[in-house]
């Protein structure tokens, strides 16, 4: 075991943040739309914006002098819509989400309607084009009758978006789809009315690659209708998957109770939760949800917090205990006094953390967005170049035109735009269900690089509460009697060690403790008094010495051994004789050793950090399997310990729960705040662990790494697909309809790959 001393602390500086707002963006159809809006907003003086295509939201930081209306006007000038943020949510759920849900469902229904109608019309068009036996005389005119509504009405959202973007001098994925499908339809109409394709008896073969032939007899109705239907199918599946990927956040927001029984003048009055005020007392019956965060003022029960923490075992609560809104009262009747309401509650803060994380972007996604922003103009240029090269090299207008359309269709960068947001939405949502809150996508990169995890001792590895550990008795002394007499005397003291002994004695002795007489607190030494007719002393060995009482050899050895392990030893005597020794310590959490082993399996080196003395620290470290200990550290020196480890080339994660951990959590490469700790620590952490179980720290790192791996897999597929497919299309190796199907599949693949994170355990 190694031990190092802290260095001199450095001052910490902070800057005041700008105002922030979240806008709902309408009209986006691909990642390049989001890139355009983001670019326009960021051009405003002092404005920093992040636009997320998957969540359809813009998170904007803006300085004084800039109004929200200015931001909305900028978005509208770009050709999209933006809405002011909804009113703050209450514990009944996010009203903004509630209003947004019908709009999202309406869009989904509209997409489904267009898809089903287009599919019904497209199938016979494709079959007639692919199966010569179905090509009766004048079949091509029936194909035109069926395909025209698909290309005009079915693809109308693409045409509308393309026209809007064109008016603003921009091009997006919709531009590619619109140009490609309208060009295919236009060529076919020309060939039918003014070429040879409209002649009775015309026959049409189908190939997966591009065939060469007479342009006046070639029609592309199956390609125009097929591409439209495939892309509509991709959009519909994508929209459904996006709804699923955000389901965890919506479920979180809907956890809260809808109404509450408030005590008014001694009577219960049922009111909506939104009308609840701090200080109100309300009744929670068995099976009901606790309306908001508060403190139990009457009753005792067990509370099921599994929906917030992922912890399946109900927690016992009684008078004075804090309870959290949206948890379920599993036992007796409780009266709770509200301490937090609305956006201050743990549920609302959890939801806010998750939503903020989903609206952020990892650095790797910013690169993808920049590529998407310039990709469309490049593809249009490539399509024109492809047509020119084919025409110049072969003189075959039909083949050149077909290859150009295939280039337009295959290159849509949807998958690039969806790669990060969908994985992030599913990963953070799943984390929220398990009691792991990820603050932002940049956190994911940190989890991959971390090699050292610094664990604060008190409240993280240990419970943070003194507990009775061992009981040593002199020969002939009954342990239960020792606990009854010592516990009764300590119960009258307010000292934490005394309270730990009293609580442990009451539990182990199996009954209520007697009431002492002539109780006296001897400053710095212990307590004395009369219990059940016995003159009892409990405290330091020096207190017994003042009464000329010596510890027997076996008790003295037990006391020395306990103190050597860092425990506090308390001597007990009555009626002029030493009767026993009680040891007290900050109890190690049952799961801490397992958690340390799990962190090691993830390739992390654990370090125990504490302000406690070296003996105590080494005892705890040995018990949980930690080799490196940094003890006797002042709160202000924790930052310097983290900095020193970083200066050694380590990438440091810090796990803590107290106010004195906040600065160290912020300084570490990755800060993991225990949700059972203080608000300051939670605010400073990158990951918040809602449960006070250290094993969740390992789960959080595993989930973050899995999410990052999914994002990288998505981006690899999206980039690889475009890099591989564009040359195939340009060289005439892809029929436009096959290109459309492949493009749609790439987006669906990325989203469904992200949805696999829902199964993380």
């Amino acid at each position: 075991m190694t031990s190092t001393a802290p260095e001199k602390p450095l001052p910490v500086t902070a800057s005041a943040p700008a105002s922030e707002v979240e806008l709902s963006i309408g009209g986006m159809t691909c990642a390049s739309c989001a890139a355009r809006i983001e670019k326009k907003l960021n051009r405003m003086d002092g404005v920093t914006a992040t636009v997320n295509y998957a969540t359809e939201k813009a998170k904007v930081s803006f300085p004084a002098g800039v109004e929200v209306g200015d931001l909305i006007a900028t978005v509208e000038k770009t050709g999209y819509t933006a809405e002011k943020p909804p009113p703050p949510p209450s514990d009944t759920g996010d009203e903004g989400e509630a209003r947004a849900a019908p709009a999202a469902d309406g869009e989904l229904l509209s997409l489904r309607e267009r898809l089903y109608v287009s599919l019904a019309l497209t199938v016979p068009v494709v079959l007639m084009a692919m199966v010569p036996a179905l090509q009766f005389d004048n079949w091509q005119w029936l194909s035109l009758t069926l395909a025209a509504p698909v290309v005009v009405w079915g693809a109308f959202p693409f045409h509308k978006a393309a026209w809007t973007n064109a008016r603003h001098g921009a091009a997006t994925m919709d531009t590619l789809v619109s140009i490609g499908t309208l060009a295919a339809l236009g060529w076919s109409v020309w060939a039918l009315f003014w070429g040879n394709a409209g002649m009775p008896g015309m026959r049409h073969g189908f190939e997966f690659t591009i065939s060469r032939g007479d342009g006046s007899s070639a029609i592309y109705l199956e390609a125009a209708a097929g591409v439209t239907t495939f892309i509509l199918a991709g959009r519909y599946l994508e929209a459904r998957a996006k709804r699923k990927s955000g389901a965890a956040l919506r479920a979180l927001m809907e956890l809260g109770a809808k109404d509450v029984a408030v005590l008014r003048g001694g009577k219960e009055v049922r009111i909506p939760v939104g009308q609840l005020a701090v200080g109100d007392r309300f009744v929670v019956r068995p099976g009901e949800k606790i309306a908001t965060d508060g403190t139990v003022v009457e009753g005792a029960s067990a509370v099921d917090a599994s929906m917030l923490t992922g912890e399946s075992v109900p927690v016992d609560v009684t008078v004075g205990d804090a309870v959290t809104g949206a948890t379920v009262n599993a036992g007796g009747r409780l009266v709770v006094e509200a301490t937090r309401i609305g956006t201050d509650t743990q549920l609302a803060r959890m939801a806010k953390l998750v939503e903020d994380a989903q609206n952020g972007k990892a650095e790797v996604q910013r690169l993808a967005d920049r590529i998407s922003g310039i990709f469309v103009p490049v593809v249009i240029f490539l399509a024109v170049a492809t047509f020119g090269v084919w025409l110049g090299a072969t003189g075959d207008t039909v083949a050149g035109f077909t290859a150009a359309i295939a280039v337009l269709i295959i290159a849509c960068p949807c998958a690039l735009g969806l790669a990060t947001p969908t994985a992030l939405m599913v990963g953070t949502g799943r984390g929220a269900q398990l009691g792991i809150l990820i603050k932002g996508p940049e956190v994911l990169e940190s989890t991959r690089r971390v090699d050292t995890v610094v664990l604060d001792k008190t409240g993280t590895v240990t419970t943070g509460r003194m507990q009775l550990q061992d009981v040593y008795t002199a020969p002939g002394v009954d342990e239960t009697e020792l606990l009854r007499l010592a516990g009764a005397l300590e119960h009258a003291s307010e000292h934490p060690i005394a309270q730990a002994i009293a609580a442990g004695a009451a539990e182990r002795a199996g009954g209520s403790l007697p009431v002492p007489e002539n109780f006296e607190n001897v400053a710095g030494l212990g307590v004395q008094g009369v219990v059940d007719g016995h003159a009892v002393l409990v405290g330091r060995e020096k207190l017994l010495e003042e009464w000329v009482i010596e510890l027997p050899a076996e008790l003295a050895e037990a006391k020395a051994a306990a103190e050597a392990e860092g425990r506090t030893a308390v001597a007990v005597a009555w009626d002029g004789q030493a009767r026993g020794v009680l040891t007290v310590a900050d109890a190690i959490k049952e799961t801490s050793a397992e958690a340390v082993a799990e962190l090691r399996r993830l390739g992390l080196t654990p370090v125990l950090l504490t302000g406690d003395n070296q003996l105590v620290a080494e005892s705890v470290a040995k018990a949980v399997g930690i080799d490196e200990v940094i003890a006797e550290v002042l709160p202000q020196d924790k930052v310097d310990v983290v900095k020193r480890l970083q200066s050694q080339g380590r990438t440091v994660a810090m796990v803590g729960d107290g106010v004195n951990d906040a600065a160290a959590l912020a300084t570490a490469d990755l800060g993991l705040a225990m949700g059972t700790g203080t608000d300051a620590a939670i605010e400073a952490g990158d990951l918040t662990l809602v449960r006070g179980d250290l094993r969740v720290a390992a789960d959080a790192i595993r989930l973050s790494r899995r999410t990052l791996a999914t994002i990288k897999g998505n981006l690899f597929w999206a980039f690889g697909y475009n890099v591989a497919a564009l040359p195939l299309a340009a060289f005439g190796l892809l029929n436009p309809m096959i290109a459309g199907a492949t493009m749609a599949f790439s987006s669906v693949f990325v989203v469904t790959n992200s949805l696999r994170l829902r199964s993380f355990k």
Side-chain angles (χ1 to χ4, degrees), residues 188-515:
S188 302
V189 169
W190 175 83
L192 285 168
F193 283 94
W194 292 281
N196 299 323
M199 301 293 291
M202 191 274 275
R203 295 294 180 264
H204 187 291
F206 179 84
E207 297 178 17
F208 285 94
T209 57
I210 293 171
S211 61
R212 305 182 186 189
D214 178 16
S216 65
S217 61
I219 59 174
Y220 295 96
L221 295 171
E222 82 286 355
V227 164
T228 300
T229 302
F230 277 125
I231 293 175
L232 279 173
R235 280 277 177 91
Y236 175 65
L237 293 172
E238 176 188 309
R240 275 187 59 188
K242 278 162 66 178
R243 287 282 289 165
K244 279 184 184 177
S245 63
L249 177 59
R250 288 192 296 277
L252 193 65
M253 296 306 299
E254 291 165 6
L255 280 178
K258 303 296 182 260
D259 53 25
V260 57
V262 181
L263 291 175
R264 299 274 165 85
K267 294 183 179 179
E268 293 182 25
V269 180
R270 193 156 283 274
I271 62 171
V273 169
Q275 297 177 14
L276 201 61
V278 172
D280 281 347
R281 294 190 173 192
F282 58 92
V283 177
V284 190
R285 290 184 172 78
E288 288 185 341
K289 288 181 180 178
I290 296 171
T292 192
D293 297 358
T295 304
V296 178
V297 293
E298 185 182 316
S301 181
V303 172
D304 179 2
S306 57
M307 71 285 294
L308 285 184
T309 66
E311 178 58 70
S312 58
V313 181
V315 179
D316 291 328
V317 296
T318 187
V319 174
D321 288 338
V323 289
T324 305
T327 55
V328 178
N329 179 13
R333 177 181 181 273
L334 294 174
V335 177
V336 178
E337 183 175 307
T339 56
R340 287 176 172 172
I341 59 170
T343 54
D344 292 332
T345 63
Q346 184 173 340
L347 174 64
R349 289 161 69 203
M350 282 176 65
K352 184 71 169 66
L353 280 170
V354 174
E355 193 165 23
D356 286 348
Q358 292 182 351
N359 286 336
K361 288 185 181 179
E363 190 57 40
V364 68
Q365 178 63 25
R366 295 187 186 280
L367 173 63
D369 285 352
R370 285 196 293 274
I371 290 171
S372 296
I374 62 170
F375 198 61
V376 175
V378 168
V379 167
I380 293 174
F381 171 78
L382 284 175
V384 173
T386 298
F387 179 73
V389 170
W390 273 86
L391 196 60
T394 66
D396 192 334
T397 308
V398 174
F401 179 76
T402 309
I405 290 177
V407 169
L408 287 173
I409 299 302
I410 197 75
C412 299
C414 284
L416 279 179
L418 292 167
T420 293
T422 50
L424 198 59
M425 286 172 75
V426 181
T428 54
R430 181 59 182 149
Q433 292 174 336
L434 298 173
I436 301 164
L437 305 182
I438 302 170
K439 272 199 175 174
E442 61 283 350
V443 171
L444 304 178
E445 291 283 358
S446 300
T447 60
R448 180 177 60 85
R449 295 191 304 266
V450 163
D451 53 33
T452 301
V453 58
V454 176
L455 305 174
D456 174 60
K457 181 183 78 71
T458 307
T460 302
V461 177
T462 65
T463 61
R465 298 186 306 275
M466 302 298 282
Q467 290 185 359
L468 179 63
Q469 299 290 317
D470 298 314
V471 179
Y472 301 97
T473 59
V477 176
D478 180 62
E479 182 177 311
T480 303
E481 180 72 359
L482 177 75
L483 289 170
R484 281 184 72 255
L485 298 181
L489 203 58
E490 294 283 49
H491 188 64
S493 171
E494 295 297 325
H495 195 281
I497 292 177
Q499 288 297 302
I501 290 173
E507 183 181 340
R508 298 191 195 185
S512 59
L513 300 173
V515 179

Side-chain angles (χ1 to χ4, degrees), residues 192 628 639:
L192 285 168
E628 190 172 348
V639 170

Side-chain angles (χ1 to χ4, degrees), residues 364 419 445 448 707-717:
V364 68
E445 291 283 358
R448 180 177 60 85
T707 304
L708 181 65
T710 302
I711 288 172
K712 292 193 170 183
N714 285 348
L715 286 169
F716 175 80
W717 165 263

